[in-house]
Amino acid sequence: MNGITEIAVDVRDAVKRYGDFTALQQISLAIHDNEFFTLLGPSGCGKTTLLRMIAGFEDLTEGGIYLFDDEIKTLPPHKRPVNTVFQNYALFPHMTVLENVGFGLEMKGSSRADAAQRAGEMLELVQLSQFAKRKPAQLSGGQQQRVALARALAPSPKVLLLDEPLSALDLKLRKTMQIELKHIQRETGITFIFVTHDQEEALTMSDRIAVMSAGELQQLGAPRDIYEQPRNMFVADFIGDTNLLEVSVDKIANGRAQCHIGGGHKLSIDAVDDVAVGAKVHLSVRPERMILSDQPSDGASLRGMVTENIFIGTDITTMMDLDGGPKITIRTSNTERGNKRLIEPGNSAFVTMEAGAARLLVD
């Protein structure tokens, strides 16, 4: 974010209730200016509710929302300097692409000529200038999505809200649009607040991610921090793939926790706060941070039997049953070096964890 620390959107202790149901439970977030910020979580976690509260489509039950230090809690949606891109794009079918993009500007008082000029600039930004005279029905889903984006950007909002705008696109187009959206955000310098349930999408585009569940903020941080250092079991399990193993803590010394899992396997892991001797907690380790071998290593190795190798293109996933213990997953890159490590199902194998790969979770 180039050192920019000004707060664009400040959500303070936001609560939203619908009768006896609490959709948001005292959410506090400070979103930076010129940041690509993502609200990530499963359906029903409250992320879209929070987005709609910033837009003004939902009222707060408690708390406040500030835009560049100005309280906007009581402002109606049309008076807030924000715009929203919805899932269904909501383009006018009888208007041309250029007219769709310029429509909002005319409604705000711009002349038709000025609106057309600004709309043309926005179409150039989203690389659709050649389609200016077409109707929405003559465009692909990805092109329609970019028209909706151009229309939302045309009035130069201070903040752009995006409610799962890529969910209707096929996988390959969605990946392309992820890169384009991040590029457009950098080009415009506008704060983007993006809602998604897609973990990879959030990791790909975001400067920071707020992981939500059941109306609560579970973790806030940069994509790498959230992926490598999940705060709890929900975050570890929801963000990407992970092995969650129940372990017993035998000893804590010098910042290390000596643990064991079923089958007598012993491990030494970095200790975390609130972990006590005798406690049963969980260990999280990503499949790609585990190394498979047919021989034990100098460090602690877990012994088991390979049950399956699954080819998934760029990687190969190996399923393994630990001796007397749980099942684990190892992911190896589909390279000559990686393929040499593969062990056929039915054979014994050893697995070690890369240094710092394992993380203890207390809940």
Side-chain angles (χ1 to χ4, degrees):
M1 292 181 294
N2 301 320
I4 294 174
T5 58
E6 185 177 10
I7 304 303
V9 177
D10 194 4
V11 180
R12 303 178 187 176
D13 296 319
V15 175
K16 179 62 180 179
R17 298 190 188 94
Y18 298 97
D20 295 333
F21 173 68
T22 302
L24 286 178
Q25 306 184 46
Q26 287 194 311
I27 297 290
S28 292
L29 291 171
I31 301 171
H32 301 137
D33 187 24
N34 194 24
E35 181 174 28
F36 199 120
F37 189 92
T38 296
L39 300 172
L40 172 67
S43 297
C45 72
K47 57 188 185 297
T48 294
T49 298
L50 179 55
L51 194 80
R52 290 175 60 83
M53 287 164 59
I54 296 171
F57 301 138
E58 296 278 358
D59 295 328
L60 281 78
T61 305
E62 297 175 17
I65 297 179
Y66 296 78
L67 186 70
F68 293 97
D69 292 329
D70 292 331
E71 168 70 81
I72 61 170
K73 176 179 173 180
T74 58
L75 281 181
H78 68 277
K79 290 190 176 181
R80 301 188 183 198
V82 304
N83 254 349
T84 306
V85 179
F86 299 101
Q87 294 180 36
N88 61 3
Y89 315 144
L91 300 177
F92 296 113
H94 63 287
M95 292 184 180
T96 66
V97 166
L98 187 70
E99 290 167 343
N100 263 282
V101 176
F103 179 77
L105 295 171
E106 291 188 46
M107 292 299 99
K108 290 179 179 291
S110 294
S111 68
R112 180 165 294 184
D114 288 344
Q117 180 179 342
R118 176 64 176 169
E121 293 170 357
M122 291 300 97
L123 288 178
E124 185 174 350
L125 177 67
V126 299
Q127 302 177 36
L128 287 179
S129 297
Q130 67 272 36
F131 300 109
K133 295 182 179 180
R134 291 193 183 182
K135 299 290 180 62
Q138 297 174 295
L139 304 179
S140 68
Q143 290 166 340
Q144 290 184 39
Q145 194 273 344
R146 282 188 279 170
V147 173
L149 180 63
R151 181 180 59 187
L153 290 170
S156 299
K158 290 186 176 181
V159 176
L160 187 67
L161 310 175
L162 302 103
D163 187 9
E164 302 209 44
L166 308 182
S167 60
L169 305 180
D170 63 62
L171 179 61
K172 190 169 184 179
L173 181 56
R174 190 160 69 242
K175 288 180 177 294
T176 300
M177 286 305 305
Q178 290 168 9
I179 304 302
E180 288 197 21
L181 270 179
K182 183 58 182 173
H183 173 74
I184 290 169
Q185 189 270 326
R186 286 175 176 163
E187 283 282 304
T188 61
I190 293 173
T191 302
F192 278 27
I193 305 178
F194 190 90
V195 162
T196 185
H197 63 273
D198 188 312
Q199 305 94 323
E200 184 177 332
E201 194 165 85
L203 293 171
T204 297
M205 296 190 293
S206 311
D207 293 314
R208 286 191 303 154
I209 300 170
V211 183
M212 298 178 63
S213 174
E216 295 184 323
L217 179 63
Q218 300 294 322
Q219 188 167 347
L220 172 64
R224 183 177 290 276
D225 293 338
I226 286 177
Y227 184 82
E228 300 288 358
Q229 301 176 45
R231 181 174 295 170
N232 55 39
M233 282 181 60
F234 174 83
V235 176
D237 194 36
F238 187 74
I239 304 292
D241 297 324
T242 195
N243 292 288
L244 285 173
L245 310 176
E246 186 176 273
V247 301
S248 297
V249 181
D250 302 320
K251 180 182 177 181
I252 298 176
N254 301 319
R256 303 285 290 177
Q258 309 299 321
C259 309
H260 74 271
I261 61 176
H265 303 280
K266 295 184 181 298
L267 297 166
S268 176
I269 308 161
D270 288 338
V272 295
D273 295 340
D274 302 326
V275 172
V277 173
K280 287 191 174 182
V281 294
H282 282 84
L283 173 152
S284 170
V285 58
R286 302 293 183 184
E288 70 273 12
R289 303 293 299 277
M290 306 182 84
I291 303 169
L292 190 66
S293 176
D294 58 2
Q295 298 292 329
S297 71
D298 294 336
S301 294
L302 307 178
R303 186 178 186 277
M305 184 180 72
V306 173
T307 59
E308 191 173 7
N309 288 318
I310 304 170
F311 176 75
I312 54 174
T314 57
D315 302 308
I316 296 171
T317 296
T318 296
M319 313 299 291
M320 183 173 169
D321 288 346
L322 297 181
D323 291 350
K327 301 177 184 294
I328 60 171
T329 301
I330 305 104
R331 184 170 299 130
T332 307
S333 61
N334 182 22
T335 61
E336 183 177 357
R337 180 185 176 191
N339 289 329
K340 285 181 179 178
R341 291 180 179 167
L342 291 179
I343 297 172
E344 291 300 314
N347 291 315
S348 294
F350 297 86
V351 66
T352 56
M353 302 176 190
E354 292 181 355
R359 182 169 177 84
L360 289 179
L361 306 172
V362 295
D363 62 346

